[in-house]
Amino acid sequence: MLKPRDPETLNILTEYENYSVTSHSYDTTRQPIGMEVILGCFAASNTCPLHEQIILDAGCGTGNYLQAIHNKVGICHGIEVNEGMLAQAQNKFGNGSHVNLDHGSLLNLPYPDDFFDGIMCNQVIHHLDDPGKTDAFPNVKAMLFACYRVLRPHGVLVLNLCSRQQLVDGFWWADLIPKIVDKMAARIPSLDFTGKMLEAVGFQKGGIIVPLHETLQGQSYCDPKGPLQKSFRDGDSTWALLSEAELHQTLERIHAMNEDGSIIEYLDEREKRRKRVGQTTFIFARK
Ligand SMILES: C[S@@+](CC[C@H](N)C(=O)[O-])C[C@H]1O[C@@H](n2cnc3c(N)ncnc32)[C@H](O)[C@@H]1O
């Protein structure tokens, strides 16, 4: 079994996306997805009925997922490291609501042992580790340890991430920025390795569910001019990995494809690929 890391070594943060800025427009192109998957996983745990459960959203961002589930569970907690994102989440829930928001890191969760019935971690893993380290994904492992500690026995962890194949086939702009997609893929552990890490931390085998019909960007996903807007790009941190020159070149290309109409056929073909693989993968495991 793996051993947890010393909390003293968990203070380093990887932040290639400036969420203090993008928090202002994040909600214009992002929506929570896979809610049936997440709620189904929580409901199937053996801790207590769904409406009594204490749930944590680890890396809750602007609180979109908490907003979607808070009326269906007992008490919600959200933890978020970026103050801009946290402020947006705070705006969604009034005083006296049963949603408690904390500023902090999911690598070092400030909650007692055996506290939560369920934990969801949506689209956060790619922010935790810089690629190319000798020890593969040390911060993802630290996060899994932290979640394991604060989950009650039989409690469920649901990880929502983009698989490497989904990065390539699930997002229409991927063909226009293949090198950047490779960079992003290196930030995400493979599904196989994620399963091995979960097991090594002590989780029991769960499963993998892929919702094929939903997109992270909702209705705006297929907007052929979407990436030309900064607010659209702010909804997907892949764009933050492009240099100024790469971004300029890519936007020129999208602009030209819109001008000559070739974007229509391009999007049609990309939609066929997306519908085969989906955009996100939900991995669940029980303590
Ligand atoms: C792509 S956003 C996802 C936000 C939200 N979960 C959602 O899906 O809408 C990634 C979020 O993870 C947060 N994050 C990154 N590292 C974190 C850490 N160590 N602890 C807590 N939050 C973290 C970022 O600040 C950002 O809000």
Side-chain angles (χ1 to χ4, degrees):
M1 215 150 108
L2 281 173
K3 288 210 165 69
R5 263 163 65 205
D6 175 356
E8 289 294 307
T9 65
L10 297 178
N11 295 327
I12 308 148
L13 281 181
T14 298
E15 202 173 313
Y16 62 91
E17 168 76 79
N18 186 349
Y19 278 114
S20 302
V21 174
T22 57
S23 55
H24 296 288
S25 51
Y26 188 84
D27 285 354
T28 61
T29 56
R30 282 296 280 263
Q31 58 164 28
I33 70 172
M35 298 320 303
E36 296 85 353
V37 175
I38 295 172
L39 287 168
C41 289
F42 292 160
S45 86
N46 276 339
T47 56
C48 62
L50 184 64
H51 68 275
E52 290 173 14
Q53 292 191 7
I54 307 177
I55 299 296
L56 174 66
D57 187 351
C60 66
T62 60
N64 285 338
Y65 284 78
L66 286 171
Q67 194 169 39
I69 72 158
H70 78 284
N71 283 333
K72 298 179 174 65
V73 302
I75 298 173
C76 284
H77 292 255
I79 188 160
E80 169 55 49
V81 77
N82 179 274
E83 289 182 71
M85 296 295 267
L86 187 65
Q88 298 290 332
Q90 281 159 340
N91 288 340
K92 290 193 170 84
F93 306 104
N95 285 341
S97 85
H98 54 248
V99 178
N100 306 288
L101 296 168
D102 290 306
H103 182 224
S105 174
L106 50 70
L107 302 182
N108 209 354
L109 295 170
Y111 308 105
D113 293 0
D114 302 341
F115 186 68
F116 294 104
D117 299 286
I119 301 179
M120 56 182 169
C121 182
N122 298 296
Q123 297 293 319
V124 179
I125 278 183
H126 54 288
H127 290 284
L128 298 182
D129 286 295
D130 281 324
K133 287 192 184 151
T134 43
D135 178 14
F137 301 102
N139 289 339
V140 174
K141 284 179 200 155
M143 182 272 281
L144 297 179
F145 268 117
C147 290
Y148 188 85
R149 179 184 68 74
V150 300
L151 268 177
R152 291 170 65 185
H154 308 294
V156 176
L157 170 66
V158 186
L159 300 173
N160 159 0
L161 50 83
C162 301
S163 70
R164 291 171 178 181
Q165 192 193 359
Q166 286 170 331
L167 289 177
V168 173
D169 286 333
F171 297 83
W172 68 257
W173 43 87
D175 276 336
L176 309 176
I177 49 171
K179 280 193 201 143
I180 308 303
V181 171
D182 286 349
K183 268 194 196 175
M184 180 55 93
R187 307 186 70 89
I188 301 179
S190 69
L191 299 184
D192 193 41
F193 190 63
T194 305
K196 288 196 171 112
M197 284 191 286
L198 283 163
E199 228 172 291
V201 164
F203 282 96
Q204 295 166 42
K205 251 195 171 48
I208 296 181
I209 302 174
V210 176
L212 292 176
H213 60 293
E214 289 179 290
T215 58
L216 286 165
Q217 302 80 6
Q219 303 254 318
S220 60
Y221 168 67
C222 266
D223 179 355
K225 292 190 174 161
L228 301 178
Q229 309 294 322
K230 185 179 175 323
S231 57
F232 183 98
R233 299 194 301 275
D234 284 352
D236 182 336
S237 61
T238 306
W239 293 101
L241 293 172
L242 275 80
S243 67
E244 278 295 314
E246 288 165 336
L247 179 62
H248 181 73
Q249 209 177 9
T250 309
L251 298 188
E252 290 271 286
R253 186 152 169 219
I254 294 174
H255 182 70
M257 289 166 80
N258 271 280
E259 288 290 294
D260 68 17
S262 59
I263 193 98
I264 305 292
E265 199 180 324
Y266 174 82
L267 279 176
D268 273 357
E269 194 271 328
R270 290 291 324 191
E271 271 300 83
K272 286 186 195 128
R273 283 163 69 178
R274 179 187 68 77
K275 286 175 183 165
R276 279 198 289 271
V277 302
Q279 281 191 338
T280 56
T281 299
F282 291 77
I283 305 177
F284 65 95
R286 285 189 192 85
K287 178 167 174 179

